[in-house]
Amino acid sequence: MAKLFPRRNFIGIDIKGARIWKGAKIANDTNLSNTAFLRTRIEWIQSYFGQGEIDEIWITFPDPQLKRRRKKKRLTGALFLNSYRNLLKDNGIIHLKTDHAILYNDTLSLLKFNGLEILMQAADLYSSPPVDPVLSIPTFYESQFLEEGIPIRYVSFKLPSRKEIIDLEDEEA
């Protein structure tokens, strides 16, 4: 993405040093001056960015956190969406790419429950060619899943800064 949009800045965030190293090496080897990398826990993201500082967030192939007690750790759950809405510009965009049907479907349910504007959704992104060339940039994991014939799911949506996101489980309680 940094190659496609040289006038925009991109920051990769991950807790795993090997993934950060690989991205930084590629950026360094190809002289991409619009990239930076931050090795940290996503729970600490508010320590690094100010309110309204981010235009878009890409969440690619996160751990689906399937166990009930770990659902609050989902990067597309209410807890994290409320954190992101403070960092994003008003109506900033969140993108999710995943191979995991449960994570994808649960995320869609949460978005619809909260009345968030879904910009695009695809249960099988590659069943027809993506209109946006950015969507056809495969991640490492995405390439592996595609080789195995696993469909890639995608959703993008707007996140209003003033709208508190309510978890489905909170509402049910």
Side-chain angles (χ1 to χ4, degrees):
M1 289 175 59
K3 287 178 189 175
L4 286 175
F5 303 101
R7 294 180 181 254
R8 294 183 74 184
N9 293 321
F10 295 87
I11 301 172
I13 301 173
D14 205 317
I15 189 65
K16 305 269 181 153
R19 290 191 286 238
I20 293 292
W21 179 86
K22 183 170 183 172
K25 180 164 177 26
I26 291 168
N28 189 49
D29 290 349
T30 57
N31 295 318
L32 291 174
S33 60
N34 59 336
T35 60
F37 298 89
L38 181 59
R39 183 178 179 201
T40 190
R41 300 183 62 79
I42 197 66
E43 293 88 352
W44 300 342
I45 192 172
Q46 296 217 16
S47 300
Y48 298 97
F49 299 97
Q51 187 170 358
E53 190 173 358
I54 299 172
D55 294 317
E56 297 182 20
I57 294 175
W58 283 80
I59 303 169
T60 56
F61 302 92
D63 183 332
Q65 305 291 355
L66 295 177
K67 293 181 181 176
R68 186 171 180 82
R69 71 186 197 298
R70 296 194 50 88
K71 268 191 159 182
K72 292 205 182 285
K73 293 196 173 272
R74 275 193 183 166
L75 298 184
T76 57
L79 179 70
F80 282 102
L81 292 181
N82 282 315
S83 177
Y84 305 149
R85 72 185 172 89
N86 294 318
L87 304 174
L88 282 166
K89 292 182 176 159
D90 190 32
N91 287 312
I93 300 172
I94 304 277
H95 303 265
L96 169 67
K97 267 187 170 183
T98 183
D99 63 306
H100 208 280
I102 293 172
L103 174 63
Y104 173 75
N105 290 327
D106 284 0
T107 300
L108 286 177
S109 294
L110 182 67
L111 301 178
K112 290 174 183 174
F113 176 76
N114 281 280
L116 298 179
E117 181 182 349
I118 296 173
L119 301 172
M120 182 181 168
Q121 68 183 74
D124 187 353
L125 184 60
Y126 292 98
S127 63
S128 60
V131 177
D132 187 339
V134 171
L135 293 178
S136 58
I137 299 171
T139 68
F140 172 77
Y141 291 111
E142 187 171 354
S143 297
Q144 287 183 328
F145 295 133
L146 287 170
E147 282 181 22
E148 296 173 24
I150 298 171
I152 304 304
R153 293 156 173 85
Y154 172 79
V155 63
S156 61
F157 58 96
K158 289 185 178 181
L159 191 59
S161 59
R162 292 182 199 95
K163 179 168 183 58
E164 182 175 357
I165 307 306
I166 299 169
D167 200 342
L168 285 165
E169 290 177 358
D170 293 344
E171 184 63 25
E172 291 168 1

